[in-house]
Amino acid sequence: MTDSPHLVLSMDTGVDDALALAYLIASGAHIVGVSATYGNVLQQQAARNTRTVLDMLGHANVPVADGARHPSWAPLFVADAGCARFHGRNGLADLRIGTSATPKPRPGRVIASDKDGIVTLSMADVKNNIRQGHAISVGGYPVGDPHAELPTIPEFFTRSELAMPQKLGFPDENCSTMTDGARLIVDAARRYGRNLTIVATGPLTDVDVALRADPAAVRRARIVFMGGALTQEGNCYDLVCETNVLQDPEAADRVLRARADTTMVGLDVTHRCLLGPADVARWITDVNDNGVNNDHDSNNGGRNVSTAGTACSRRHVAFLLASLANFSIRANRASDPIFAAGMPLHDPLAAAVALDPTIVTTFELPMIVETRTGDGVGVRGRTIGDPRAALDDAKATHVALGVDGDAFVRRFTDVIAGFIASLG
């Protein structure tokens, strides 16, 4: 087990982030706090989701701070429609949990987030921002890129004059700011030093800001992030990049070059850890075998999961986690035959590695992220070995390449089952 018992988290809380949070709580981890950031959903929704999950798991006392609302390269962020297919529009499988922090989109309008909060953009607003040189990120792609999906303004798919193959040239070259979430990371690093592990399961924007705010303190902490791919195809449209890194390639690149003790838990290992329906069914079976009435159906998308009150009962927690997992299992099966056996445990594996590094085997390699696409510069968002490592005296990243996927799925399932059994 790790010698760093204190954890500070940076999460864009969607389905697998919530499962990772449950795993950490079930494992008895000391969570100093959570920085809720943009990514799977808008930052405001991520914060709401994080607090909701913590409440239901009986840990409402864990501080949740507002993290970055947009990447370092764009002052506006729109949640990608593709993420909704894997996480639900609210990030939690569209369960009826509390109230949504995100307004419902209307035709001809886009819901975005900037540093001050949620904004509604018309088509004219989007065009004006672009023409003034302000980038708008749609899940990591600038508006105008054919992959920047804006279902409420489909005209943008055909407006070639708005296409921008390169991010470079925007005046907002680095528009990231100090957030409460980044400050939480800095404060934790100053307090706990080498006994702190920073666990990032979303974009690395806040970790980057924290490192630049106090590099000496934050570099003493261990960093474990879910993201990247070295030996596997990516999970973005180009099959090269991984989603968390693509959201903010500049921030990820700076983190990898920061000379910190950094472990990359990417698709190389997470795609080998597939949680299937039979694994999830055990959580429900255990509850029913203990005489708890089953008045929910965790396979119907979880729409009827009751969330009245906080610190929920064994039954409610079991059906919450099972509903989240089953939603993701169905979505992943529909997306690619390689996930026929189940959902990849992306964020739970990174969380587990933060507690026990021996779960994975790593390859020591100085890493960078390419930030431009084109001849001689690479593919924007690709994680790759640093070709200048020897010249720059770069520090190696621990790149996770080996894992016993079946063993980890059993471990994850057992830990969650044990936690559920411990509840009243």
Side-chain angles (χ1 to χ4, degrees), residues 232-235 266-274 338-339 344-346 349:
Q232 299 284 310
E233 288 184 342
N235 59 358
L267 306 184
D268 311 275
V269 284
T270 64
H271 278 183
R272 301 183 204 173
C273 302
L274 302 182
I338 68 172
F339 302 127
L345 290 170
H346 297 300
L349 181 61

Side-chain angles (χ1 to χ4, degrees), residues 179-382:
T179 63
D180 290 342
R183 190 172 292 107
L184 172 73
I185 296 171
V186 172
D187 290 346
R190 289 171 176 168
R191 179 176 181 182
Y192 296 107
R194 299 192 187 282
N195 289 320
L196 178 74
T197 297
I198 301 165
V199 187
T201 60
L204 287 166
T205 310
D206 279 321
V207 178
D208 168 47
V209 170
L211 275 163
R212 288 186 286 121
D214 193 340
V218 179
R219 273 201 299 256
R220 286 198 296 270
R222 176 170 165 251
I223 299 172
V224 177
F225 76 95
M226 189 282 127
L230 184 62
T231 64
Q232 299 284 310
E233 288 184 342
N235 59 358
C236 297
Y237 291 105
D238 56 17
L239 297 182
V240 173
C241 306
E242 181 278 327
T243 303
N244 282 343
V245 171
L246 183 67
Q247 295 276 15
D248 197 343
E250 284 78 12
D253 184 53
R254 287 189 288 265
V255 170
L256 287 173
R257 295 177 187 266
R259 300 186 62 79
D261 180 6
T262 302
T263 299
M264 180 179 109
V265 181
L267 306 184
D268 311 275
V269 284
T270 64
H271 278 183
R272 301 183 204 173
C273 302
L274 302 182
L275 182 74
D279 304 309
V280 176
R282 177 184 162 191
W283 303 338
I284 306 301
T285 301
D286 287 353
V287 168
N288 292 336
D289 287 347
N290 280 289
V292 179
N293 291 329
N294 177 3
D295 60 0
H296 299 294
D297 180 1
S298 68
N299 290 310
N300 72 353
R303 303 303 189 271
N304 298 318
V305 174
S306 171
T307 59
T310 58
C312 291
S313 69
R314 179 188 308 170
R315 180 187 64 184
H316 288 123
V317 170
F319 280 91
L320 166 70
L321 299 180
S323 296
L324 292 174
N326 282 324
F327 182 97
S328 183
I329 288 168
R330 289 191 300 272
N332 277 279
R333 276 182 169 175
S335 74
D336 197 309
I338 68 172
F339 302 127
M343 66 168 287
L345 290 170
H346 297 300
D347 297 346
L349 181 61
V353 170
L355 297 179
D356 183 0
T358 66
I359 290 175
V360 295
T361 56
T362 61
F363 182 70
E364 307 304 295
L365 181 68
M367 295 289 291
I368 61 168
V369 178
E370 293 170 343
T371 57
R372 298 174 61 191
T373 296
D375 293 347
V377 292
V379 178
R380 177 170 167 78
R382 177 168 69 170

Side-chain angles (χ1 to χ4, degrees), residues 1-291:
M1 299 292 286
T2 180
D3 292 329
S4 302
H6 308 291
L7 305 181
V8 63
L9 315 180
S10 178
M11 293 184 149
D12 57 338
T13 304
V15 167
D16 58 332
D17 306 78
L19 293 175
L21 198 52
Y23 180 87
L24 290 174
I25 289 172
S27 300
H30 175 222
I31 302 173
V32 176
V34 184
S35 171
T37 186
Y38 73 96
N40 293 321
V41 289
L42 297 186
Q43 182 276 324
Q44 295 84 349
Q45 188 66 52
R48 180 76 55 84
N49 292 350
T50 305
R51 292 188 177 99
T52 296
V53 173
L54 286 168
D55 284 352
M56 294 188 69
L57 298 179
H59 282 67
N61 59 320
V62 174
V64 178
D66 289 336
R69 291 175 171 165
H70 56 79
S72 66
W73 60 272
L76 288 158
F77 174 77
V78 177
D80 177 40
C83 283
R85 289 192 282 271
F86 291 94
H87 298 274
R89 183 175 169 271
N90 72 349
L92 294 180
D94 290 328
L95 300 177
R96 295 195 183 106
I97 302 178
T99 58
S100 175
T102 307
K104 187 175 181 179
R106 294 176 290 149
R109 298 288 187 272
V110 173
I111 306 301
S113 185
D114 65 12
K115 65 181 179 64
D116 296 318
I118 292 177
V119 295
T120 301
L121 304 176
S122 67
M123 184 170 177
D125 294 329
V126 173
K127 289 165 61 177
N128 288 337
N129 271 282
I130 292 172
R131 287 170 179 164
Q132 291 172 19
H134 302 305
I136 301 174
S137 171
V138 183
Y141 297 98
V143 167
D145 185 292
H147 302 117
E149 189 175 352
L150 294 175
T152 55
I153 309 182
E155 297 90 335
F156 276 102
F157 285 109
T158 59
R159 297 185 67 83
S160 59
E161 71 269 22
L162 292 178
M164 291 174 291
Q166 293 295 339
K167 182 273 312 180
L168 300 180
F170 291 127
D172 312 294
E173 184 65 26
N174 187 341
C175 54
S176 57
T177 59
M178 174 59 73
T179 63
D180 290 342
R183 190 172 292 107
L184 172 73
I185 296 171
V186 172
D187 290 346
R190 289 171 176 168
R191 179 176 181 182
Y192 296 107
R194 299 192 187 282
N195 289 320
L196 178 74
T197 297
I198 301 165
V199 187
T201 60
L204 287 166
T205 310
D206 279 321
V207 178
D208 168 47
V209 170
L211 275 163
R212 288 186 286 121
D214 193 340
V218 179
R219 273 201 299 256
R220 286 198 296 270
R222 176 170 165 251
I223 299 172
V224 177
F225 76 95
M226 189 282 127
L230 184 62
T231 64
Q232 299 284 310
E233 288 184 342
N235 59 358
C236 297
Y237 291 105
D238 56 17
L239 297 182
V240 173
C241 306
E242 181 278 327
T243 303
N244 282 343
V245 171
L246 183 67
Q247 295 276 15
D248 197 343
E250 284 78 12
D253 184 53
R254 287 189 288 265
V255 170
L256 287 173
R257 295 177 187 266
R259 300 186 62 79
D261 180 6
T262 302
T263 299
M264 180 179 109
V265 181
L267 306 184
D268 311 275
V269 284
T270 64
H271 278 183
R272 301 183 204 173
C273 302
L274 302 182
L275 182 74
D279 304 309
V280 176
R282 177 184 162 191
W283 303 338
I284 306 301
T285 301
D286 287 353
V287 168
N288 292 336
D289 287 347
N290 280 289

